[in-house]
Amino acid sequence: MKLLVLGSTGFLGSYLGFALPRAGHEVLGVSRRDVGYFPNNTVITDLGAVEGIIRRGECDTVINCVAVASHEDCEKDPETAGAINSVFPGVWASAATEIGARFVHISTDAVFDGTSSGLYGENDETHPESVYGSTKARGEQAVFGANPHALVLRVNFFGWSRSHKSGILDFFVNAFTNQLPITGFQDYVVSSLYMGHLVDVMVELVEKKQSGLFHAVSSTPLSKYDFGQMVARCAGLSADSMAEGLLVEATGLAPRGHDLSLSTAKIESTLGHSMPSTEAGVVRALAEREALMDYFGPHER
Ligand SMILES: NC(=O)c1ccc[n+]([C@@H]2O[C@H](COP(=O)([O-])OP(=O)(O)OC[C@H]3O[C@@H](n4cnc5c(N)ncnc54)[C@H](OP(=O)(O)O)[C@@H]3O)[C@@H](O)[C@H]2O)c1
């Protein structure tokens, strides 16, 4: 396949430039900042230019990883979050249809409020707690409104960041390596999937010509505290510097649902296999770390 990644500098977007070529695919990127590592990357100064890049028709699949993905940034500037998370995805989904390309849009578990007593399924009504969640929910609608054959994946993922500073995996590994005091929330539960596994299932769904909404997450919801304990165990580190804590008592964070466990029943029955566990993802992440850092290059660490 020849895939165009929108948001090639982001946490997930940058990883796609590593993983897709390794899986035998050709990749192109679009970003507002220049990056040396991403193959065939185009730098733009305005998101208005993305539509024209899609219309060049140089790819068979477009993956949209552009977002205002921080809850806090969305609360601070809801207008920008609305444009980027809700409006542009529809414009890009429409441009992809017109050139006959598949459109993959990345959404989030934060479209739910986390108050359900069970796993959220794709047919459950969304009820976002935050500006981030509501702008992402509107983005899903915009994508399907423009392109009923789009593939929309609600995700929650972890992986290594090129700065070594963003993301929950770096957070725990840095804290345990340096024995920094941290708090692990016991009341914040998500179905986090390793990025490598996310890319695998994304490619599988596209190759199977699937469309519609899927929960592309791990089969094993875990609290952040339990995730931290598991990272320490898999990495051979001590988790002694982590205290038990509660998200409900944390200050300075934008509102978010507490139990965002998602059902993987639909994606598993479509793919014909189970979704990987979070622990399998941590093991794979540890094994892949050096290769990923080589891809980013020494100046990006
Ligand atoms: N991280 C998670 O665990 C998680 C969980 C659930 C869902 N998601 C979803 O997964 C997708 C990818 O998330 P991520 O964590 O990779 O996000 P990220 O690291 O924040 O990346 C977002 C991308 O969007 C670009 N972008 C943002 N505002 C822009 C603007 N005004 N103009 C041009 N480009 C702009 C960023 O460019 P710069 O690099 O230049 O800022 C970056 O390339 C998003 O749809 C997010 O909602 C993520």
Side-chain angles (χ1 to χ4, degrees):
M1 289 193 289
K2 193 166 178 186
L3 305 105
L4 173 64
V5 176
L6 312 181
S8 53
T9 49
F11 194 22
L12 179 61
S14 61
Y15 180 83
L16 284 161
F18 165 78
L20 290 172
R22 279 164 70 105
H25 303 289
E26 206 176 330
V27 70
L28 312 159
V30 182
S31 62
R32 62 176 163 178
R33 290 182 290 118
D34 200 6
V35 282
Y37 51 83
F38 201 98
N40 309 310
N41 198 57
T42 301
V43 178
I44 50 160
T45 50
D46 186 322
L47 283 179
V50 172
E51 189 182 348
I53 292 172
I54 296 172
R55 284 181 195 281
R56 283 183 200 158
E58 291 171 350
C59 64
D60 49 59
T61 306
V62 179
I63 306 176
N64 178 28
C65 298
V66 171
V68 181
S70 147
H71 281 75
E72 286 70 29
D73 289 350
C74 289
E75 298 290 328
K76 270 186 236 149
D77 187 353
E79 204 178 316
T80 301
I84 292 175
N85 293 348
S86 312
V87 180
F88 276 119
V91 173
W92 300 333
S94 171
T97 323
E98 284 168 32
I99 62 154
R102 307 292 316 280
F103 190 76
V104 182
H105 176 69
I106 308 298
S107 191
T108 174
D109 53 4
V111 297
F112 297 115
D113 62 13
T115 57
S116 168
S117 53
L119 301 172
Y120 286 104
E122 284 83 349
N123 291 330
D124 286 341
E125 205 176 319
T126 60
H127 191 258
E129 274 277 279
S130 58
V131 173
Y132 171 63
S134 56
T135 57
K136 292 294 290 186
R138 289 205 303 277
E140 293 179 352
Q141 291 157 14
V143 166
F144 285 129
N147 181 345
H149 302 295
L151 179 61
V152 175
L153 306 180
R154 287 190 185 137
V155 302
N156 188 302
F157 56 79
F158 64 92
W160 304 111
S161 63
R162 67 184 190 282
S163 65
H164 287 200
K165 287 181 195 142
S166 38
I168 194 75
L169 186 58
D170 279 319
F171 171 75
F172 281 124
V173 169
N174 289 340
F176 298 151
T177 302
N178 301 299
Q179 283 300 292
L180 306 173
I182 55 164
T183 300
F185 297 131
Q186 294 170 299
D187 60 342
Y188 186 29
V189 178
V190 294
S191 305
S192 205
L193 183 70
Y194 177 52
M195 279 180 188
H197 290 141
L198 173 58
V199 176
D200 290 349
V201 297
M202 190 189 295
V203 167
E204 258 187 281
L205 289 167
V206 173
E207 286 179 336
K208 283 179 184 270
K209 303 197 185 319
Q210 289 297 316
S211 58
L213 179 63
F214 287 89
H215 289 175
V217 292
S218 95
S219 53
T220 51
L222 278 181
S223 74
K224 291 295 175 190
Y225 180 83
D226 290 338
F227 180 80
Q229 289 286 354
M230 194 183 58
V231 168
R233 207 167 51 246
C234 293
L237 297 167
S238 163
D240 286 353
S241 64
M242 177 169 66
E244 298 174 3
L246 294 174
L247 177 61
V248 73
E249 290 171 358
T251 52
L253 291 175
R256 63 196 74 202
H258 282 223
D259 186 349
L260 298 174
S261 307
L262 303 187
S263 165
T264 52
K266 179 180 175 188
I267 194 167
E268 289 179 341
S269 99
T270 303
L271 295 177
H273 62 77
S274 54
M275 287 298 283
S277 66
T278 304
E279 180 159 3
V282 171
V283 170
R284 179 166 161 190
L286 289 164
E288 235 177 39
R289 189 178 196 184
E290 275 313 307
L292 182 63
M293 291 307 137
D294 284 349
Y295 153 77
F296 282 138
H299 301 299
E300 301 289 349
R301 294 185 185 206

